[in-house]
Amino acid sequence: MSAPAALPPLREVIARHGLGARKSLGQHFLLDLNLTGRIARAAPDLSRGTVIEVGPGPGGLTRALLAEGATNLVVVEKDRRCLEALAELAVAYPGRLEVVEGDALKMDLAALGPAPRQIVSNLPYNISTALLVRWLTALADDPAAFSALTLMFQKEVAARLVAMPRSGPYGRLSVLTQWLCAARPLFDIPPRAFTPPPKVVSSVVALTPLAEPLAPASLAALEKVTAAAFGQRRKMLRQSLKSLGGDTARLFEATGIAPTARAEELAVEEFCALARLIGPGSLSFAGA
Ligand code: SAM
């Protein structure tokens, strides 16, 4: 499926609608058709279910998603200035593009269309982790909320999502992400590809939600235990987990985790084991 011949170049769209990039909205536009096409092709089958793009801006990636076969694409944009340009795109692809004005941080994206639903986005960096945590929270409630997430982050954040234990970037975000998703780094995009160029390199990451979480745990308990452990990541767990209150010695006995281990040495499943012990209704911890 190719783009309708009538579409004007993106630079012209930006000029005509006065879409000068706003820093407060994390706006760095990707105008290179090869790169937007590459991101769209990295997403699983776009012709199935609902494809959701957060922050379409002037519509570069949106065009690529449509050209690569999205038949039910819903885009969520906070910047009203972009809406007219996006409406023109909706006219060029009749019945395939719905434009929603709004703040993705306040929206339930799973309500935007029928499953399977996937998200593809060049995320605004200033809120990228907040958005991801929101979508992970939805996945913790319902693993079928999203079938795939193909997302661009700043490279440092992408590294945290895919990090393995005993590596520098491994932290809370790695544990929460990998508890719910298989996370795979795809490719980097240099600053010069964007208008205006950001100060950092960007990376596209594929997150594939697991049919069920890697190990049983409640999200609240997992957040609590990872916050305590990584809050003092250089300290041994017997020290860092004290902030949880309760009988920490019991946590180590019950899980077989060494009290002298540090947060970055624990696998996701071990954090889940700790979370199960401190979780709601856990007599072993609450009773201590
Ligand atoms: N998709 C476009 C591209 O690749 O060129 C623009 C990407 S730009 C990095 C991020 C986009 O997210 C901007 O269009 C910005 O207005 C939008 N945005 C920022 N905060 C948002 C929010 N809370 N909800 C929805 N969109 C938001």
Side-chain angles (χ1 to χ4, degrees):
M1 254 179 270
S2 59
L7 284 181
L10 279 166
R11 283 189 194 282
E12 190 187 310
V13 171
I14 289 172
R16 182 157 43 89
H17 293 281
L19 305 181
R22 288 198 176 147
K23 209 172 172 185
S24 61
L25 287 166
Q27 290 181 337
H28 297 279
F29 301 133
L30 196 51
L31 309 182
D32 181 327
L33 299 184
N34 290 321
L35 290 172
T36 50
R38 193 169 174 204
I39 298 169
R41 284 190 296 279
D45 189 355
L46 295 166
S47 67
R48 289 183 66 230
T50 310
V51 180
I52 300 163
E53 185 196 357
V54 168
L61 179 56
T62 318
R63 289 182 183 201
L65 292 167
L66 291 162
E68 293 296 331
T71 48
N72 181 23
L73 175 59
V74 184
V75 297
V76 178
E77 177 56 62
K78 189 176 175 186
D79 185 353
R80 306 196 72 184
R81 297 177 309 155
C82 299
L83 301 179
E84 247 180 65
L86 295 166
E88 286 169 11
L89 204 48
V91 170
Y93 285 94
R96 290 172 58 187
L97 173 61
E98 184 188 342
V99 180
V100 176
E101 180 196 350
D103 181 345
L105 273 176
K106 296 183 180 153
M107 258 184 209
D108 172 13
L109 294 196
L112 291 179
R117 279 171 226 107
Q118 60 169 310
I119 306 175
V120 185
S121 176
N122 170 9
L123 292 172
Y125 292 148
N126 45 349
I127 56 166
S128 64
T129 50
L131 286 169
L132 178 63
V133 167
R134 189 174 175 83
W135 302 334
L136 291 174
T137 305
L139 282 168
D141 274 350
D142 174 12
F146 306 112
S147 58
L149 300 95
T150 309
L151 304 175
M152 187 176 341
F153 293 90
Q154 75 180 72
K155 192 176 165 88
E156 286 70 18
V157 176
R160 288 162 61 197
L161 306 185
V162 302
M164 292 289 120
R166 297 174 189 273
S167 69
Y170 186 65
R172 291 188 73 190
L173 203 55
S174 328
V175 174
L176 294 180
T177 302
Q178 294 169 35
W179 177 50
L180 298 165
C181 299
R184 200 160 47 94
L186 295 180
F187 49 89
D188 290 349
I189 300 195
R192 66 172 183 279
F194 298 87
T195 304
K199 290 199 176 73
V200 293
V201 172
S202 304
S203 295
V204 181
V205 177
L207 301 178
T208 309
L210 304 171
E212 53 186 63
L214 201 59
S218 81
L219 175 62
L222 193 56
E223 283 188 318
K224 208 165 151 189
V225 80
T226 52
F230 286 107
Q232 302 181 68
R233 64 182 291 144
R234 311 244 168 268
K235 297 245 166 81
M236 292 178 192
L237 291 169
R238 69 176 172 218
Q239 177 62 33
S240 57
L241 294 188
K242 270 187 192 161
S243 64
L244 293 171
D247 181 2
T248 34
R250 167 87 186 99
L251 294 179
F252 300 116
E253 276 162 33
T255 57
I257 294 168
T260 52
R262 291 176 168 79
E264 65 172 31
E265 295 166 28
L266 295 199
V268 174
E269 292 89 335
E270 291 176 303
F271 280 110
C272 292
L274 290 170
R276 287 195 296 278
L277 289 170
I278 70 151
S282 160
L283 292 175
S284 58
F285 195 71

